[in-house]
Amino acid sequence: MNQICASLRQFKNVQSPDEKEKIANLEKNTIKRKAQLHEIEQSLPAKSGRYLRIILGDVNVSILNRNDKVRYKDEYEKFKLILNVIGLLMAFLNLLFNYRVLELSYIFLLVWYYCTLTIRESILKVNGSRIKGWWRAHHFISTVAAGVLLVWPQGEHWQLFRKQFMYFNAYISVVQYLQFGYQKGLLYRLKALGERHNMDITIEGFHSWMWRGLSFLLPFLFVGYAFQAYNAWTLYHLSYEPVDAPWHVSVMCGLFWVLFIGNLTTTLLVVPEKIREKTKERYRLISMGKSMKLRKMMKQNSISENDIDIAAENSVVTNVTSSLEDDGEKKCN
């Protein structure tokens, strides 16, 4: 297919209308064949990535049946929603009660959640899901962060950061619940319109396809990113005061900075692009409106000119008829 496309590019400058039409038909057929080949590829077993081979071994995780793929993706979405609600409840409980067993249970839940999420996403990736690089990396970093929190010893530094961390998790859980709920509905509509792939999934951040209907979530996301930066700033100060801070403080500070920069950069790269597209679309609509208005005016002018011509013709006919009638009357007299 690549050779055919390369050959077609050589005939871009042809002048003959027949040849242009033939090339256009060939390009359409090439696009159709590419789509068909992609569909065939989705039904063939794919090789697992390195991460899956390390975790699961050399196991074939390809799901060949399309319905089973969609079902697995739906199970992934349900898993995220259910664990999000459980995490929100546990964060509130940790705000109400300061029990070490309760907070360790919550942090262990975070470790298990993000580990499971990375494995499931890797399986979805093998089966055709188009998960963007940063959002996968985000979950790997979150797994590391949860692991560091799990081994962070009980002490003064942890107690100073604990409440802020629980508030942060409660807020993030609420935002993610809103995101998953709205994204699922939007994805369903876009898939029905043929604008998104069946294996596309919900994500914690903001993507270009979310602009239509989910832009109201952007302020909540930016507040969450600011919260991550605030966590990093707090941990930075805790690494110096009180003294003798454990290594967990510095590591968590760095991880929160990475998450903040990555999330903010990825989202900011999407927003200007969509604003430019929206501006272009607006100008295009304005120009279309002007051209339609101009055509309408020209049409009205042509109609009025036709009316004038018809009226002139009618007056000429009337004059000729009246003159003929006068001549006839004179002859009769």
Side-chain angles (χ1 to χ4, degrees):
M1 293 302 294
N2 291 331
Q3 291 177 353
I4 294 170
C5 292
S7 301
L8 283 173
R9 280 195 290 270
Q10 295 175 2
F11 297 97
K12 283 287 184 183
N13 298 322
V14 293
Q15 301 296 328
S16 172
D18 293 335
E19 289 180 352
K20 283 184 178 180
E21 188 178 351
K22 287 178 182 178
I23 290 168
N25 290 330
L26 281 171
E27 286 177 347
K28 287 179 184 177
N29 290 330
T30 305
I31 293 168
K32 288 179 183 177
R33 294 294 177 270
K34 280 184 177 179
Q36 289 171 355
L37 287 171
H38 180 71
E39 289 295 322
I40 293 168
E41 283 177 3
Q42 297 303 310
S43 62
L44 295 173
K47 192 177 180 181
S48 301
R50 185 178 298 174
Y51 177 67
L52 280 179
R53 289 201 300 272
I54 292 170
I55 299 294
L56 303 176
D58 195 10
V59 178
N60 183 17
V61 294
S62 298
I63 305 170
L64 302 182
N65 187 283
R66 185 179 295 180
N67 293 329
D68 291 339
K69 284 184 181 182
V70 175
R71 196 178 300 117
Y72 185 79
K73 185 192 74 71
D74 290 340
E75 288 295 326
Y76 164 83
E77 302 288 2
K78 287 177 187 175
F79 170 78
K80 285 203 295 187
L81 278 172
I82 292 168
L83 266 293
N84 224 281
V85 174
I86 295 170
L88 178 62
L89 292 173
M90 291 193 74
F92 275 125
L93 286 173
N94 276 286
L95 285 169
L96 295 173
F97 308 104
N98 191 354
Y99 294 134
R100 184 62 177 167
V101 175
L102 185 61
E103 66 190 29
L104 283 176
S105 301
Y106 176 56
I107 295 169
F108 181 77
L109 177 72
L110 290 177
V111 174
W112 176 75
Y113 170 70
Y114 283 114
C115 282
T116 309
L117 213 59
T118 54
I119 294 169
R120 289 191 179 216
E121 284 175 351
S122 298
I123 293 171
L124 285 168
K125 185 79 174 172
V126 171
N127 287 284
S129 186
R130 298 179 295 185
I131 307 169
K132 296 298 179 183
W134 166 249
W135 302 117
R136 287 192 70 206
H138 175 276
H139 290 154
F140 283 105
I141 296 167
S142 299
T143 306
V144 175
V148 173
L149 286 168
L150 190 63
V151 297
W152 189 340
Q154 178 85 320
E156 186 181 2
H157 294 83
W158 167 248
Q159 288 301 322
L160 288 170
F161 181 64
R162 180 186 181 278
K163 197 169 186 180
Q164 179 178 323
F165 177 70
M166 294 303 171
Y167 274 121
F168 167 73
N169 278 292
Y171 178 79
I172 291 297
S173 295
V174 171
V175 174
Q176 286 182 358
Y177 183 81
L178 288 172
Q179 275 191 291
F180 296 155
Y182 282 107
Q183 283 180 33
K184 199 170 180 183
L186 182 59
L187 271 174
Y188 181 80
R189 291 196 299 273
L190 292 176
K191 286 171 190 173
L193 294 169
E195 296 182 20
R196 298 304 302 173
H197 193 263
N198 282 332
M199 292 298 288
D200 282 354
I201 60 170
T202 59
I203 59 171
E204 281 85 348
F206 193 82
H207 215 280
S208 56
W209 55 266
M210 299 176 199
W211 194 265
R212 197 189 311 173
L214 293 183
S215 53
F216 73 94
L217 287 174
L218 274 174
F220 297 99
L221 288 175
F222 284 123
V223 170
Y225 301 157
F227 213 146
Q228 287 175 337
Y230 179 59
N231 287 340
W233 182 253
T234 303
L235 289 164
Y236 174 75
H237 283 287
L238 285 175
S239 63
Y240 290 101
E241 190 179 347
V243 293
D244 298 329
W247 61 269
H248 312 75
V249 179
S250 301
V251 172
M252 286 302 300
C253 174
L255 291 173
F256 270 117
W257 274 122
V258 170
L259 289 172
F260 163 69
I261 293 167
N263 288 334
L264 187 66
T265 305
T266 308
T267 305
L268 288 177
L269 287 173
V270 171
V271 175
E273 179 188 345
K274 297 308 291 184
I275 289 172
R276 283 196 297 271
E277 287 181 10
K278 207 171 182 180
T279 306
K280 286 180 183 177
E281 185 71 17
R282 187 170 70 250
Y283 283 128
R284 191 174 69 83
L285 290 171
I286 290 169
S287 63
M288 282 176 64
K290 286 181 179 177
S291 62
M292 287 176 70
K293 192 175 180 181
L294 187 63
R295 285 178 188 174
K296 193 175 180 181
M297 289 173 64
M298 290 173 67
K299 196 173 181 182
Q300 287 175 351
N301 290 335
S302 64
I303 290 168
S304 60
E305 287 174 2
N306 289 334
D307 291 341
I308 292 167
D309 293 339
I310 291 165
E313 288 175 2
N314 289 336
S315 64
V316 169
V317 170
T318 305
N319 291 332
V320 170
T321 306
S322 60
S323 63
L324 288 171
E325 287 176 354
D326 292 340
D327 291 341
E329 287 176 358
K330 286 177 182 178
K331 286 178 181 179
C332 290
N333 293 329

